[in-house]
Amino acid sequence: MLYEFIGNRSSKVTNVIEKGAVLKFAKAIGETHPMYIDENYAKNSSISNLLVPATFPVTLDYGTIPGLTLPSVGLIHGEQSFHYHRPLVVGDVVECYREVKDYMEKEAKSGTLGMLTFTDYGEDEQGELIFENERVIILTETVRKELSY
Amino acid sequence: MSNLKSLSINDVVEPIELEPVNRLDLIKYAGASDDYNPIHTIDREAEKAGLPGIIAHGMWTMGNLSRLFSQHIEEGYIEDYRVRFTGMVFLDDVLTLQGKLVDREDSLLIFDVNVAKQDGQKVIQGQVSFRLWE
């Protein structure tokens, strides 16, 4: 049962916020502000680094929750949040890990829906949180039945 | 362009209307985000999943929505950004990004934000809390 995974965490994975990855991501969401895409402009700003779009952390590696495998298709992304303790910039080294925050089921017309909440954490090298982001995934009855949990 | 600091409650952020959604937008986002779920890029896979056609990644739309604050990004940063995905985005949809100041607590400005389709349907609804530099 998915309930059993609540509170489980992945091991930390070191991620480096790379300029190329950020530029590609920024362009893919249509970003045109020079703080995100023009290194010279950003270097001369008060932050003195290229900024990272708020939603970029979805691309980082958070490791895997032992024993938990979800299908790559058929999942519905219901909700998403990002919470920052400071802005993320190019060059940051981030220790990332993921936690199963919650799981619940509710009855809908289409059957029983599962709602799985993950929290993704990013810490700096001193162990201070930079961000904590939440994602709610909806598992339809069909998807839930395919899982062996 | 006014700055965020000078906004009053119920003032809106300058809205942004996107070009009609095209397949290349979604292919680029798939590559940049490493999200290759084929319902976002391949018609047959979308149809197999019971959809009338490919749909945009929710995160592509959410990423675009954050751009409402880009022109103000030297005034502070997005401290909190949370949304619910409330509708699907198909090819050729025309999306408008909108935001309105609903509250402020000292240096924290709280905006209701949404993405609306050409027929007014909201596909994303949420909130951005923008922290001004002191």
Side-chain angles (χ1 to χ4, degrees), chain B residues 18-51:
Chain B
L18 304 184
E19 294 293 315
V21 177
N22 73 71
R23 191 181 303 266
L24 210 48
D25 292 333
L26 307 182
I27 292 173
K28 277 186 198 160
Y29 187 78
S33 67
D34 206 28
D35 180 347
Y36 290 107
N37 186 334
I39 63 167
H40 302 305
T41 47
I42 301 171
D43 296 317
R44 205 178 322 125
E45 294 295 328
E47 286 155 18
K48 241 199 273 177
L51 298 166

Side-chain angles (χ1 to χ4, degrees), chain B residues 54-66:
Chain B
I54 61 169
I55 58 169
H57 306 73
M59 288 309 304
W60 175 78
T61 313
M62 186 180 185
N64 269 278
L65 180 56
S66 70

Side-chain angles (χ1 to χ4, degrees), chain A:
Chain A
M1 288 299 291
L2 283 165
Y3 291 104
E4 292 163 14
F5 287 94
I6 296 173
N8 288 10
R9 287 183 172 189
S10 62
S11 301
K12 289 181 185 175
V13 179
T14 305
N15 287 253
V16 179
I17 308 299
E18 293 170 354
K19 183 174 76 175
V22 170
L23 289 177
K24 194 168 157 191
F25 186 88
K27 286 174 185 164
I29 59 164
E31 186 55 73
T32 56
H33 194 282
M35 277 305 295
Y36 296 99
I37 58 172
D38 180 342
E39 197 170 22
N40 286 328
Y41 181 96
K43 279 216 166 108
N44 291 314
S45 72
S46 57
I47 293 188
S48 62
N49 261 315
L50 278 172
L51 283 175
V52 173
T55 60
F56 179 78
V58 294
T59 69
L60 302 178
D61 182 0
Y62 296 88
T64 50
I65 311 270
L68 179 62
T69 318
L70 293 176
S72 57
V73 293
L75 304 177
I76 299 165
H77 196 170
E79 297 175 28
Q80 177 72 44
S81 73
F82 297 89
H83 187 86
Y84 286 93
H85 298 268
R86 66 157 172 90
L88 191 61
V89 297
V90 166
D92 273 332
V93 176
V94 190
E95 297 290 333
C96 295
Y97 58 99
R98 175 166 291 164
E99 179 182 354
V100 178
K101 194 71 174 181
D102 198 12
Y103 179 69
M104 51 195 235
E105 292 183 347
K106 70 175 190 190
E107 299 306 317
K109 270 179 287 182
S110 57
T112 306
L113 296 180
M115 319 229 327
L116 187 58
T117 307
F118 291 102
T119 306
D120 290 344
Y121 297 92
E123 295 176 353
D124 66 16
E125 289 163 294
Q126 284 73 46
E128 296 285 328
L129 269 180
I130 304 173
F131 60 76
E132 49 205 307
N133 306 330
E134 273 192 17
R135 183 160 60 111
V136 179
I137 301 295
I138 300 165
L139 300 103
T140 60
E141 176 130 347
T142 319
V143 169
R144 249 175 7 92
K145 282 185 174 158
E146 283 170 16
L147 294 170
S148 48
Y149 307 120

Side-chain angles (χ1 to χ4, degrees), chain B residues 2 7 46-47 49 64 113:
Chain B
S2 63
L7 292 184
E47 286 155 18
N64 269 278
V113 294

Side-chain angles (χ1 to χ4, degrees), chain A residues 33 35-36 47 51, chain B residues 69-78 130 133:
Chain A
H33 194 282
M35 277 305 295
Y36 296 99
I47 293 188
L51 283 175
Chain B
F69 298 90
S70 294
Q71 60 171 322
H72 302 289
I73 208 62
E74 291 175 82
E75 295 175 51
Y77 66 100
I78 293 175
F130 193 95
W133 298 121

